[in-house]
Amino acid sequence: RRLVETLREKGITDLAVLRAFDLTPRHLFVPTGVAHRAYEDAALPIGSGQTISQPSVHARYLQTLGLTGVERVLEIGTGSGYQTVLLAHLAAQVFSIERIGALLDRARDAVRASGVHNVTLMVGDGTRGWAAHAPYDAILVSAAAPDVPEPLLSQLAEGGRLVIPVGGTETQTLRVITRRGDTFEQSD
């Protein structure tokens, strides 16, 4: 509950997003060595040289997507599975791709322990998307890319939104792309 209050203080106003955080036990998604820090608004190591993002970053992404509960969502970068479960509380179906098999194995266990049942996971290259389940109403990319991968744009449904950090290691911009027919509206 303190984490939810911290998110409110940082400008998160979407009640569905705040509820998703309240329903998702973050300690299930971090290694036991850092579990005592699970509810801090901080990024934490999860192994394989990766981190679980700070909750306020997840919250900003989710609030930006503006999900209503009926969407089919593609997540690129399962990581610990924490954001995957947050999405599962906000959308009808979540498909998530992770490139590191060991991370996906741990995420699968944590997702199962969280009790959600509307998630499908796969090991693979997220820049290619997951065409078998396209089109998606929303695509959320967890890690920065130098450019927006074309396959992700082609897998967006009409009116679908893609949220992706674009840039390098020094500077990144959160880009929101909305499909309108054959064109894509962008905002940063």
Side-chain angles (χ1 to χ4, degrees), residues 66-112:
L67 300 171
T68 63
V70 298
E71 294 88 357
R72 176 194 224 39
V73 177
L74 175 63
E75 176 190 39
I76 307 299
T78 311
S80 69
Y82 181 62
Q83 182 172 259
T84 312
V85 171
L86 292 169
L87 283 165
H89 290 300
L90 296 165
Q93 284 186 290
V94 179
F95 299 89
S96 187
I97 303 172
E98 173 55 53
R99 65 183 176 86
I100 301 171
L103 279 182
L104 190 69
D105 290 341
R106 289 193 298 272
R108 184 173 281 115
D109 292 341
V111 168
R112 191 174 297 121

Side-chain angles (χ1 to χ4, degrees), residues 28-174:
L28 295 178
F29 301 91
V30 298
T32 55
V34 293
H36 64 284
R37 298 187 57 209
Y39 296 97
E40 295 176 10
D41 189 27
L44 300 171
I46 58 170
S48 301
Q50 303 298 305
T51 60
I52 181 174
S53 295
Q54 65 189 83
S56 59
V57 170
H58 289 301
R60 182 150 323 277
Y61 275 38
L62 296 172
Q63 184 165 279
T64 298
L65 277 177
L67 300 171
T68 63
V70 298
E71 294 88 357
R72 176 194 224 39
V73 177
L74 175 63
E75 176 190 39
I76 307 299
T78 311
S80 69
Y82 181 62
Q83 182 172 259
T84 312
V85 171
L86 292 169
L87 283 165
H89 290 300
L90 296 165
Q93 284 186 290
V94 179
F95 299 89
S96 187
I97 303 172
E98 173 55 53
R99 65 183 176 86
I100 301 171
L103 279 182
L104 190 69
D105 290 341
R106 289 193 298 272
R108 184 173 281 115
D109 292 341
V111 168
R112 191 174 297 121
S114 76
V116 298
H117 301 286
N118 58 339
V119 171
T120 305
L121 303 170
M122 176 179 84
V123 171
D125 179 356
T127 63
R128 295 180 180 170
W130 196 344
H133 298 289
Y136 301 99
D137 302 300
I139 300 175
L140 192 155
V141 181
S142 298
D147 298 298
V148 178
E150 178 59 38
L152 299 184
L153 293 173
S154 68
Q155 292 175 30
L156 268 181
E158 172 62 28
R161 296 163 316 284
L162 167 64
V163 175
I164 181 172
V166 177
T169 54
E170 296 296 317
T171 305
Q172 298 170 8
T173 301
L174 187 61

